[in-house]
Amino acid sequence: MASKYTCRWGILATGGIATTFTKDMLTNPATRDVHDVHHVLAAAASSSSKSRAEAFIKDVDGPSTAKAYGSYHELVKDPDVDIIYVATPHSHHFQNTMLALEHGKHVLCEKAFTVNAEQAKKLIETARKKKLFLMEAVWTRYFPLSIKIRELVKSGAIGKVHRVTADLSIATANEDGGLKFPDSSRMVNMDLAGGALLDLGIYSLTWVYQILYHCQEGKRERPTILAAVQKYKTGADELTSVLLNWPGQNTQGFASTSLRVATQPDGEGSPAAGPAARIQGTKGEIQVFGPIYRPQLYRVIKVGGKRGDVEDVHCPIPKDKERKGKGDEGVGHGMFWEADEAARCLRDGKLESDTLNWEESIAIMEAMDEVRKQGGLVYPELIETAVYDEKSPLNGGQ
């Protein structure tokens, strides 16, 4: 039996998403029936202090060998780190990822990949030049559920797909017309590329693109886009809808997101509100129940079948009961599958993932650029620039 490939991770930033990813990454791969790769936490860095990084390593139940750094610059210079997971806000992704690439590190960068497509192209150009692996961390794409649905679409199980609709929205409206987020929150702060589109809408677009774009054969057609954007008092988008049209494919997609009303008003995971995404074909449809970033149930309905006769497929996320989670349930959120994909790509010498390659990440970033253009959504120059600055305040300014 071939030996497992060991992937040594450095975690750049120590917030909530970094904690969830790292806890997942440290679970036993066998609990999800993965036996060819495993992961090691080599180091973590906080831009604020070494003590914050030390607290992070303790919080994720990391190994005693994991190193703590008080700056991103120290992390990217660590020879024991193979790949950096960039877990900062979208506003920081370009500068942070460039910092890692320029120091010869492979990178898994959180979604949305960057603030704009020009930044994404610069990252990819740098990764290609330096022969480094780079992947946008759209974790949903690597769920077994997503893989199975793409297989069903490609096999013609629901006939020719003509339409995909997807929504990811959360109810955070106050009675006074404001939102529950303080103006400084990354969700609405323009300095942090806040707004519904880049944070939530990327998932709605993910479902549209992984079916209507990713599953195209041959040279892929890009869609035309019509967008409607409403802004919050901070200038960030709070309600955004996107109509995507592929005339050559005879398909359309509709992606929506909001900070005011919820996809599932009675709580995430509830089926009461119906599907959060619908993939509609000539022979039936596939319904995906939300939240669409972490789905665990899909339904297949066939044209001509018995009325009310559906196939429900449950895809629970496995948990490692040996790791410390809430109560006795163990650890398992679903982020480990993208870590496995990154590890396999490194093992195989690949620079990009087939499931979400560089070209498709750029296509989606260009789509969001067009939505922002139509909605007049412009962020500060510090986070829009595609000029790398190692000493940028976004990199800690060192």
Side-chain angles (χ1 to χ4, degrees):
M1 181 177 176
S3 60
K4 293 181 181 178
Y5 177 82
T6 300
C7 189
R8 304 177 300 173
W9 290 86
I11 309 299
L12 191 149
T14 54
I17 195 71
T19 299
T20 301
F21 174 84
T22 307
K23 284 183 175 181
D24 258 30
M25 179 261 289
L26 290 173
T27 58
N28 181 355
T31 60
R32 56 186 179 274
D33 199 26
V34 169
H35 305 281
D36 59 330
V37 297
H38 77 286
H39 309 277
V40 173
L41 175 60
S46 167
S47 62
S48 59
S49 67
K50 180 180 179 180
S51 61
R52 177 68 191 94
E54 291 171 339
F56 172 84
I57 292 171
K58 182 179 180 181
D59 183 41
V60 301
D61 196 21
S64 59
T65 53
K67 287 171 275 189
Y69 295 116
S71 76
Y72 300 157
H73 292 75
E74 292 176 283
L75 176 67
V76 299
K77 294 175 183 176
D78 188 329
D80 295 323
V81 169
D82 299 317
I83 183 170
I84 302 285
Y85 172 60
V86 173
T88 47
H90 328 303
S91 50
H92 292 49
H93 288 176
F94 171 70
Q95 296 292 349
N96 297 165
T97 300
M98 281 295 295
L99 178 69
L101 292 172
E102 287 291 347
H103 284 83
K105 299 300 184 188
H106 305 291
V107 177
L108 174 64
C109 177
E110 253 312 319
K111 59 83 212 157
F113 201 20
T114 49
V115 173
N116 56 56
E118 185 181 3
Q119 291 179 339
K121 291 175 183 177
K122 182 68 176 290
L123 293 183
I124 290 167
E125 174 189 323
T126 303
R128 182 181 287 115
K129 178 181 177 182
K130 292 181 171 290
K131 293 181 172 55
L132 293 169
F133 172 77
L134 173 65
M135 185 175 106
E136 182 181 7
V138 185
W139 58 312
T140 314
R141 291 227 180 191
Y142 302 92
F143 274 45
L145 176 147
S146 295
I147 295 170
K148 180 60 178 177
I149 289 175
R150 292 195 300 268
E151 289 174 348
L152 287 171
V153 169
K154 288 182 177 180
S155 71
I158 58 170
K160 160 68 176 175
V161 172
H162 285 285
R163 183 169 62 188
V164 175
T165 62
D167 179 75
L168 179 58
S169 299
I170 56 176
T172 64
N174 291 325
E175 291 297 326
D176 62 4
L179 297 175
K180 291 183 172 63
F181 301 111
D183 292 354
S184 59
S185 166
R186 68 175 184 83
M187 291 299 296
V188 294
N189 186 344
M190 294 293 282
D191 291 333
L192 298 177
L197 176 65
L198 292 186
D199 196 84
L200 306 177
I202 179 66
Y203 289 109
S204 304
L205 287 167
T206 288
W207 277 98
V208 171
Y209 269 82
Q210 74 169 334
I211 303 302
L212 298 182
Y213 189 78
H214 185 82
C215 292
Q216 289 183 34
E217 294 183 358
K219 183 175 174 56
R220 295 167 175 168
E221 179 188 8
R222 296 284 184 95
T224 58
I225 291 170
L226 181 63
V229 176
Q230 293 185 12
K231 296 180 183 178
Y232 187 51
K233 63 180 181 178
T234 61
D237 69 301
E238 64 171 30
L239 180 62
T240 297
S241 298
V242 187
L243 177 62
L244 304 100
N245 188 41
W246 281 270
Q249 300 293 316
N250 195 18
T251 60
Q252 289 185 346
F254 183 77
S256 55
T257 183
S258 173
L259 299 179
R260 291 198 173 273
V261 294
T263 309
Q264 296 165 299
D266 59 335
E268 287 188 349
S270 169
R278 296 177 70 186
I279 302 163
Q280 299 176 292
T282 55
K283 297 180 181 179
E285 76 171 66
I286 299 169
Q287 300 179 341
V288 183
F289 290 81
I292 53 172
Y293 58 82
R294 190 174 179 261
Q296 298 182 66
L297 167 66
Y298 71 90
R299 173 175 292 165
V300 181
I301 307 173
K302 292 295 186 69
V303 170
K306 183 180 178 182
R307 186 173 181 180
D309 187 16
V310 302
E311 178 189 2
D312 282 352
V313 182
H314 295 267
C315 304
I317 297 170
K319 293 187 180 293
D320 184 347
K321 300 293 181 64
E322 301 301 315
R323 302 287 298 180
K324 291 186 292 186
K326 293 180 181 178
D328 298 324
E329 67 179 20
V331 173
H333 194 69
M335 302 192 84
F336 33 55
W337 286 307
E338 66 178 357
D340 295 341
E341 171 70 7
R344 292 183 181 116
C345 287
L346 294 191
R347 178 197 65 193
D348 298 341
K350 299 173 67 173
L351 303 186
E352 55 187 316
S353 167
D354 293 335
T355 304
L356 179 57
N357 65 16
W358 293 342
E359 184 273 333
E360 189 165 355
S361 281
I362 289 174
I364 295 173
M365 286 307 309
E366 288 181 339
M368 291 196 291
D369 279 0
E370 181 60 25
V371 173
R372 289 178 51 210
K373 178 182 177 182
Q374 292 184 26
L377 188 59
V378 180
Y379 294 111
E381 176 61 20
L382 176 66
I383 65 174
E384 288 270 18
T385 182
V387 177
Y388 170 57
D389 178 6
E390 183 171 354
K391 297 182 178 180
S392 167
L394 304 178
N395 282 330
Q398 297 183 18

